[in-house]
Amino acid sequence: MSVHLHPALRPMLPTDGPVLAAIFRAAIDELTGEDYSPAQREAWMAAADDEAAFAKRLAAQLTLLATINHEPVGFAAMKNNDHIDMLYVHPRVAGRGVANALCEAMEVLASARGTKKITTEASDTARPLFAKRGYTPTRRNTVLVGEEWLGNTAMEKILPPRKAAVQ
């Protein structure tokens, strides 16, 4: 039986870069082994080798951090109010509702900003999560990361219309 957690969410702070890079690397290293080879995972994790550049990329987007007992356990980043660019959860809390909470927050924020459709490029590991949330596949992608080709799936979800604000 998996216990679902209710993480607190907050915006990324400038000092969060190293911990987000660590979550990114741990999630790829420990959660994607059934879908990607060791060489593919190494190439993918290398995106966080330059932690300052990684943090700068996240800071340029709408990035939310999930915490449990004030400890960071996951994050999601949204580009252009309509594209979930990153969604990573620490392996020790995987499957316990953290990714769902982050996804839900991104969808609500996108909708509040007038977005009618949200998209993502889901890894093979994350695809079932997005599918359960109502995202449909639009195309299969192969992306060159370093010297490795990685497969992912472009997915989209039509967001429900926003409710009118109560006056």
Side-chain angles (χ1 to χ4, degrees):
M1 180 175 92
S2 68
V3 175
H4 283 275
L5 307 171
H6 296 289
L9 302 179
R10 66 166 172 80
M12 175 190 174
L13 301 173
T15 55
D16 288 329
V19 74
L20 297 185
I23 291 168
F24 174 83
R25 286 191 289 263
I28 294 165
D29 190 42
E30 297 180 42
L31 299 176
T32 66
E34 290 183 19
D35 300 306
Y36 298 94
S37 73
Q40 287 174 316
R41 294 194 321 268
E42 285 296 322
W44 189 356
M45 286 186 290
D49 286 353
D50 181 342
E51 288 183 357
F54 186 76
K56 187 175 179 181
R57 175 181 173 184
L58 292 173
Q61 301 180 21
L62 171 62
T63 301
L64 293 180
L65 185 72
T67 62
I68 295 173
N69 298 326
H70 307 288
E71 182 183 348
V73 294
F75 70 94
M78 184 165 52
K79 192 185 325 185
N80 301 327
N81 295 328
D82 67 357
H83 181 79
I84 297 176
D85 185 43
M86 290 193 191
L87 174 64
Y88 292 90
V89 172
H90 196 281
R92 77 175 172 279
V93 298
R96 296 172 66 191
V98 175
N100 254 325
L102 285 162
C103 246
E104 178 71 20
M106 288 297 175
E107 292 166 14
V108 167
L109 289 166
S111 182
R113 292 167 179 215
T115 300
K116 295 179 180 4
K117 177 176 73 177
I118 193 165
T119 61
T120 194
E121 271 94 37
S123 69
D124 293 350
T125 308
R127 184 176 170 170
L129 166 84
F130 285 105
K132 280 184 192 169
R133 294 200 53 81
Y135 288 72
T136 56
T138 57
R139 74 180 178 282
R140 185 75 180 153
N141 302 313
T142 308
V143 183
L144 184 62
V145 178
E147 296 183 6
E148 293 293 322
W149 289 97
L150 279 73
N152 69 29
T153 302
M155 302 181 82
E156 66 181 31
K157 179 179 181 177
I158 305 301
L159 297 173
R162 289 190 299 161
K163 294 184 175 88
V166 177
Q167 296 290 320

